[in-house]
Amino acid sequence: VKSIELLISQELLDQNLTDFNIKTSDGVLVPCNKFVFSVQSPVFKKMLWSPDCCWKESRENVVELPYEAAVVKLLVQFLYKGTLEVEYDMERLANLLQISHMYELFDLSKLVSERILRALSPSNLCLALLSFYRFESESYVKSCIEFLDLHLMQVAMQDPCWSQVHHEQNLYRMIHSAT
């Protein structure tokens, strides 16, 4: 027996029940349902349900997101099903973290942050650290710094974005005061 939640999420994914599209950076239109997005994000609610004169998105029924289709489809999957089928692709996780903050999707933010911590490695630590730092996720930044403390040499040799950390002066000071 299928649960009502599963049946509803399957029906809402039906092309006939979608009422707006997300246009991705690679030009793909992803069909979506305003209600599903609006009940989970006050930002989407304002964009999609405001009077036509105020928001381009409510007039045109298209929301443009500067992310590739694979990332947007993960967002849609989460909003429809409450799950996320991406584990260790740090770049996609970092993009989802950014989306979750932009659109006030706090459950997604927590889930993605936990996935990022599980996926930490010397080759991706800086991307995780910079992502958490930009969104003022202090406890997650501290977890990254603890990882860095244990793996400093590997991170310095393997992570291509290590030099970006030096440009974030406050973050750089935080790291040096903790290690």
Side-chain angles (χ1 to χ4, degrees):
V1 174
K2 291 184 178 180
S3 73
I4 190 72
E5 185 177 287
L6 179 61
L7 290 170
I8 290 171
S9 69
Q10 287 172 340
E11 283 301 311
L12 289 173
L13 286 170
D14 183 334
Q15 295 281 338
N16 295 323
L17 297 177
T18 61
D19 51 6
F20 85 101
N21 289 297
I22 294 179
K23 185 175 182 181
T24 66
S25 63
D26 45 354
V28 175
L29 289 176
V30 180
C32 301
N33 182 280
K34 288 180 182 181
F35 178 77
V36 171
F37 278 67
S38 298
V39 298
Q40 297 180 74
S41 165
V43 178
F44 276 117
K45 183 176 184 177
K46 191 171 192 173
M47 289 170 66
L48 296 169
W49 295 101
S50 291
D52 290 345
C53 65
C54 300
W55 288 83
K56 174 184 166 189
E57 292 83 0
S58 66
R59 272 193 321 275
E60 298 177 5
N61 288 318
V62 175
V63 174
E64 293 184 32
L65 292 182
Y67 302 96
E68 65 182 22
V71 172
V72 171
K73 288 177 180 177
L74 290 169
L75 168 67
V76 172
Q77 174 196 1
F78 178 80
L79 292 177
Y80 278 76
K81 298 180 178 181
T83 62
L84 199 54
E85 293 176 11
V86 61
E87 283 295 324
Y88 302 110
D89 184 331
M90 188 62 75
E91 190 171 327
R92 286 187 180 153
L93 289 170
N95 285 332
L96 281 171
L97 184 63
Q98 187 175 16
I99 291 170
S100 71
H101 284 271
M102 285 172 47
Y103 293 98
E104 299 179 20
L105 297 162
F106 302 116
D107 290 339
L108 178 60
S109 176
K110 183 174 171 46
L111 178 62
V112 169
S113 295
E114 294 300 322
R115 296 266 175 103
I116 288 173
L117 286 182
R118 284 201 312 261
L120 279 181
S121 73
S123 64
N124 66 24
L125 174 73
C126 291
L127 179 57
L129 183 58
L130 289 168
S131 296
F132 289 140
Y133 178 71
R134 287 181 184 133
F135 298 112
E136 301 176 1
S137 302
E138 190 174 329
S139 65
Y140 293 114
V141 168
K142 286 180 181 178
S143 295
C144 287
I145 291 172
E146 289 170 8
F147 183 91
L148 176 62
D149 195 31
L150 297 173
H151 304 282
L152 180 60
M153 290 307 294
Q154 293 121 318
V155 170
M157 293 184 339
Q158 293 179 28
D159 196 327
C161 80
W162 181 243
S163 63
Q164 290 179 6
V165 171
H166 295 279
H167 297 298
E168 297 285 349
Q169 293 299 319
N170 290 336
L171 176 59
Y172 189 69
R173 277 189 227 109
M174 250 173 102
I175 290 170
H176 283 285
S177 68
T179 56

